[in-house]
Amino acid sequence: MMRRCGGGVVYRRTYAGQTYTIHAPGHDLDKDAFRRFVAAERVLGLDVEGRAIVKGGPGHFGKDAGLRLVQFGSTDTAWVLDPLIPAHRKAIVETLKDKSLRFVTHTNYDVLALWSAFGIGLGQRVIDSHLVSKLIDPDERAGHGLKQLTARHLDDGLRRAEDDLQQRVKSLAPRGCRSPKARNVWGWNNIPSTDEYYVVYAGLDAVYVRRLLPILLEVCGPYSHLVRMEQWLAAQSTGITIRGLALDIPYTQALLAEFEAEFERADQPIKEALRFSGNSPKFADWLSAQGVKGGPDDYTATGRLKVTADSLGALVKGIDSGEHEYPEIVASLVRSRLRMAETKNVISNLRQFLACADANGRLHPAINTLRAKTARMSITGPALQTLKKIDPRLRHCLKADDGCVLVACDFSQVEVRVAAALARDPRLVSVIESGVDIHDATATFMYGEKFTKAQRNVSKRATFGTIYGGGAKALSEQTGVTLNTARGVIDKWRRTYPNVIEYGKRLGRQKIVTTATGRRIPADPQRPYANSNYSIQSTARDLLVAAVYTLVTRYGMHAKLWLYVHDEVILQVPAAEAARVCKIVESVMTTTFRGVPIEAEAEILGTHWGRLPEQTEMAVAA
């Protein structure tokens, strides 16, 4: 149903007995009617429709970005405005800048799009219904999309509107855009902004997200204190994304050229011997023809031998140890192919860095603050959490702004300390309180004072593995000791720290794990041993968030936040302030949890995130 109104159109839709009104005003916006609508609401649903953003690029900060519609919604009414129309744009800006208003969105896509288009940050004035949903059920597989949630908690109106829009796009798309992916891209970019199905779908997004919020908040009642903290953290993370991280483009390009050349050098012996590239599927077939066999997990779904860095690394390890005997050509080409696999991953990262950089050479990574069940965070676009400290070359691609340096502070063995506090294991607590190295002390308990470096590594692996429910098989694979030796090590570890084991058993019987901060994590019936993992990792994560909160609220460092990765906080500060900030962040992150010391160590990284070996040598000499 529709009717013309003052140069615009008003649509009405009814789903499950509820009627919704969608205003699509023309060039002559009825400003008074829109202002009355806004004035009647304290919280507005907020949604945008934009151009299709190419995956793997700068996202909202690249040339593909662009808003086509902005929608504000109450629980039954939406206004759909076109930012290209001056009167609409003015109304949008006035509404977004109104400090008395609060907004609800689903994910921060809309927040970033609005910043890109108008330079307006919503900060703490927006609540993300997606984050609230993740607090209710942190499992990614639970279905946290807006259509899924509204169908579950309200009705299927939004899904039906989406289906109508898809059919409309299908009918309009030109012949060359008939595949679903091409059709969607064409639709978001080209469907007329006045099209009825597009406008209705857009308006209902804002209405349904507004209707959904109080329902989710009610379910969240017992742990509603977490909502405020997660929304606060999300705002800080959005600020990091907006500010961006400077990419050292000349260094990145040079490193990429170096690794591409190395990749080609590694591939050359394979091409010369076999007349095809190591990248070809034929290489796996050639290995099988030479009698190379893998374990149960070393084959693809089609039965072909896997040729990955892990599988090739295990094969080389077996050859070097004498466990496998193959002709020299097999051993040689497997090593070449392994180097290709290792190099390919680095090349992929470097290319992603360059592709994701905006026109000013800045990366704008997306920080998903509730990615894992434990609330561990993830970073995408690019995936910066995967860059390892032990090889700083990739981290060195990211640098501080001119005149600034990076200061990093990392928790020390925080998960072991949290495990000791939660389990109240007297021996483990005593070791921690003594100040000696935890893994040295454990190795001493297990092997005596004259333990070797290899034995310390086994003890360290046993500590983390046992805390998280790992068994002898995993320890054997990680360290290379025999299965019987691994069993003996784990048995001795369990006798050394019995309360940790009992804590894990106790949590394994629970259907829902409630963490120290009140976070609720449903157990996996197939993996009850993972419950202690959930509790420990989640608590460690929340300790990091508490530190970030203190740094921002007590010391005003919100603009200095550069990134948080795993158990580490990185700040960007003027070089002259680095020493002072280094002391502050270390003092904030050095704390206690249930009486157990939580230690942290801060350092001034310098102008780049990763410190190259020659830079480390210079710092030591200085």
Side-chain angles (χ1 to χ4, degrees):
M1 176 181 174
M2 62 166 282
R3 66 181 177 86
R4 300 281 175 185
C5 182
V9 182
V10 177
Y11 299 103
R12 285 192 172 83
R13 293 290 190 272
T14 300
Y15 304 110
Q18 173 75 45
T19 298
Y20 304 100
T21 303
I22 300 97
H23 293 268
H27 284 259
D28 297 325
L29 172 68
D30 187 337
K31 300 180 184 66
D32 291 336
F34 178 70
R35 286 170 181 160
R36 285 194 299 272
F37 162 76
V38 171
E41 303 294 328
R42 292 183 59 192
V43 179
L44 285 167
L46 174 61
D47 191 74
V48 305
E49 304 304 327
R51 292 174 49 81
I53 293 178
V54 176
K55 189 175 181 180
H60 292 289
F61 302 87
K63 62 182 181 180
D64 299 318
L67 283 187
R68 303 193 66 207
L69 296 174
V70 176
Q71 307 90 254
F72 299 101
S74 68
T75 57
D76 60 8
T77 302
W79 283 70
V80 181
L81 305 182
D82 184 340
L84 296 181
I85 299 175
H88 290 206
R89 185 179 184 88
K90 183 178 179 181
I92 293 168
V93 170
E94 288 177 350
T95 304
L96 294 176
K97 285 186 173 181
D98 187 339
K99 301 295 185 183
S100 70
L101 291 175
R102 298 294 182 268
F103 304 96
V104 53
T105 65
H106 197 74
T107 78
N108 73 339
Y109 176 96
D110 310 279
V111 177
L112 291 173
L114 291 166
W115 170 268
S116 176
F118 304 111
I120 299 173
L122 298 180
Q124 298 297 308
R125 294 191 295 124
V126 64
I127 185 169
D128 183 346
S129 59
H130 180 264
L131 289 181
V132 183
S133 175
K134 288 297 295 287
L135 285 174
I136 295 170
D137 188 344
D139 194 330
E140 281 285 314
R141 299 165 297 181
H144 298 286
L146 184 58
K147 281 46 171 204
Q148 295 167 301
L149 289 171
T150 54
R152 191 182 311 151
H153 293 286
L154 296 167
D155 56 57
D156 67 346
L158 195 54
R159 183 173 287 168
R160 288 165 61 184
E162 182 182 39
D163 290 343
D164 289 343
L165 175 60
Q166 291 294 337
Q167 289 301 314
R168 178 63 169 164
V169 170
K170 189 174 182 179
S171 70
L172 294 176
R175 187 175 298 276
C177 299
R178 294 300 172 88
S179 72
K181 182 178 180 180
R183 187 167 63 239
N184 283 338
V185 170
W186 181 91
W188 295 126
N189 289 341
N190 296 287
I191 190 170
S193 60
T194 56
D195 183 273
E196 175 180 352
Y197 295 96
Y198 186 43
V199 169
V200 168
Y201 166 81
L204 288 177
D205 263 351
V207 170
Y208 269 82
V209 75
R210 178 63 185 87
R211 286 189 65 200
L212 180 65
L213 178 63
I215 296 172
L216 296 182
L217 290 177
E218 184 175 359
V219 178
C220 254
Y223 38 98
S224 58
H225 61 286
L226 293 175
V227 175
R228 184 182 295 273
M229 177 56 73
E230 293 301 337
Q231 298 295 335
W232 178 89
L233 180 66
Q236 308 311 310
S237 302
T238 298
I240 291 173
T241 301
I242 289 172
R243 289 191 296 273
L245 317 176
L247 181 67
D248 188 332
I249 292 180
Y251 169 82
T252 304
Q253 291 173 331
L255 189 62
L256 175 59
E258 178 184 327
F259 272 93
E260 287 176 335
E262 187 173 349
F263 182 90
E264 290 302 320
R265 285 195 299 270
D267 196 19
Q268 193 59 34
I270 299 176
K271 289 179 178 177
E272 291 176 355
L274 305 180
R275 299 292 186 263
F276 55 76
S277 168
N279 261 340
S280 170
K282 294 179 182 179
F283 188 77
D285 297 334
W286 178 80
L287 286 179
S288 296
Q290 303 306 306
V292 175
K293 298 186 184 301
D297 298 328
D298 292 332
Y299 291 88
T300 67
T302 59
R304 175 173 276 150
L305 193 66
K306 288 183 180 178
V307 186
T308 64
D310 288 340
S311 63
L312 292 167
L315 184 55
V316 168
K317 186 177 180 181
I319 292 172
D320 290 343
S321 67
E323 181 183 351
H324 304 309
E325 291 187 13
Y326 297 113
E328 177 56 33
I329 190 173
V330 173
S332 175
L333 296 189
V334 164
R335 286 187 174 88
S336 291
R337 185 61 184 85
L338 173 59
R339 191 62 197 135
M340 289 176 65
E342 293 170 339
T343 307
K344 186 176 182 179
N345 184 54
V346 178
I347 291 172
S348 176
N349 275 298
L350 292 168
R351 288 176 176 170
Q352 188 182 36
F353 291 171
L354 294 168
C356 288
D358 67 14
N360 298 313
R362 300 186 76 81
L363 302 178
H364 300 272
I367 304 173
N368 187 332
T369 54
L370 286 177
R371 178 66 176 86
K373 288 181 73 170
T374 59
R376 281 278 191 172
M377 294 178 263
S378 72
I379 304 172
T380 57
L384 300 180
Q385 275 188 317
T386 63
L387 309 185
K388 298 178 181 179
K389 281 185 177 181
I390 57 174
D391 184 354
R393 289 176 295 179
L394 283 174
R395 287 189 171 198
H396 191 79
C397 293
L398 279 75
K399 64 178 184 176
D401 294 338
D402 292 342
C404 292
V405 295
L406 300 177
V407 172
C409 191
D410 201 351
F411 281 135
S412 174
Q413 301 165 334
V414 64
E415 291 172 1
V416 180
R417 296 169 186 273
V418 167
L422 293 173
R424 301 309 306 167
D425 189 288
R427 175 169 272 182
L428 189 52
V429 171
S430 177
V431 166
I432 292 169
E433 290 178 340
S434 71
V436 302
D437 182 272
I438 295 170
H439 303 306
D440 283 352
T442 301
T444 300
F445 288 137
M446 301 178 76
Y447 295 105
E449 292 185 359
K450 295 184 178 180
F451 62 84
T452 65
K453 184 177 181 180
Q455 288 171 332
R456 182 187 183 278
N457 182 51
V458 172
S459 299
K460 178 180 178 180
R461 296 280 188 174
T463 296
F464 289 114
T466 310
I467 284 174
Y468 293 141
K473 184 175 183 292
L475 181 61
S476 174
E477 291 174 348
Q478 291 168 355
T479 62
V481 300
T482 66
L483 192 58
N484 283 338
T485 299
R487 289 194 183 104
V489 169
I490 288 177
D491 286 343
K492 192 175 288 187
W493 199 99
R494 289 172 173 169
R495 291 195 300 270
T496 303
Y497 304 121
N499 283 27
V500 176
I501 302 303
E502 181 54 37
Y503 174 74
K505 290 179 179 178
R506 188 165 66 251
L507 282 192
R509 294 190 289 268
Q510 297 180 6
K511 293 183 178 180
I512 293 181
V513 176
T514 302
T515 71
T517 58
R519 195 178 302 280
R520 294 160 59 87
I521 307 173
D524 183 345
Q526 305 302 317
R527 301 170 63 246
Y529 57 84
N531 284 3
S532 59
N533 180 359
Y534 296 161
S535 180
I536 294 165
Q537 280 201 356
S538 183
T539 301
R541 179 266 193 189
D542 286 345
L543 286 173
L544 184 77
V545 174
V548 173
Y549 185 80
T550 300
L551 290 170
V552 170
T553 58
R554 186 179 301 174
Y555 296 99
M557 294 191 183
H558 61 281
K560 293 181 172 67
L561 286 178
W562 192 79
L563 204 62
Y564 12 80
V565 179
H566 303 303
D567 301 319
E568 181 180 21
V569 175
I570 305 119
L571 303 167
Q572 176 177 259
V573 301
E577 297 180 21
R580 179 182 66 85
V581 171
C582 197
K583 291 179 181 178
I584 290 173
V585 67
E586 184 168 296
S587 69
V588 168
M589 291 181 66
T590 300
T591 182
T592 61
F593 173 63
R594 295 187 176 178
V596 175
I598 303 295
E599 294 187 356
E601 184 176 355
E603 62 176 327
I604 301 172
L605 297 178
T607 58
H608 290 66
W609 185 19
R611 185 182 292 150
L612 299 178
E614 57 268 26
Q615 293 177 315
T616 302
E617 291 170 7
M618 290 170 60
V620 170

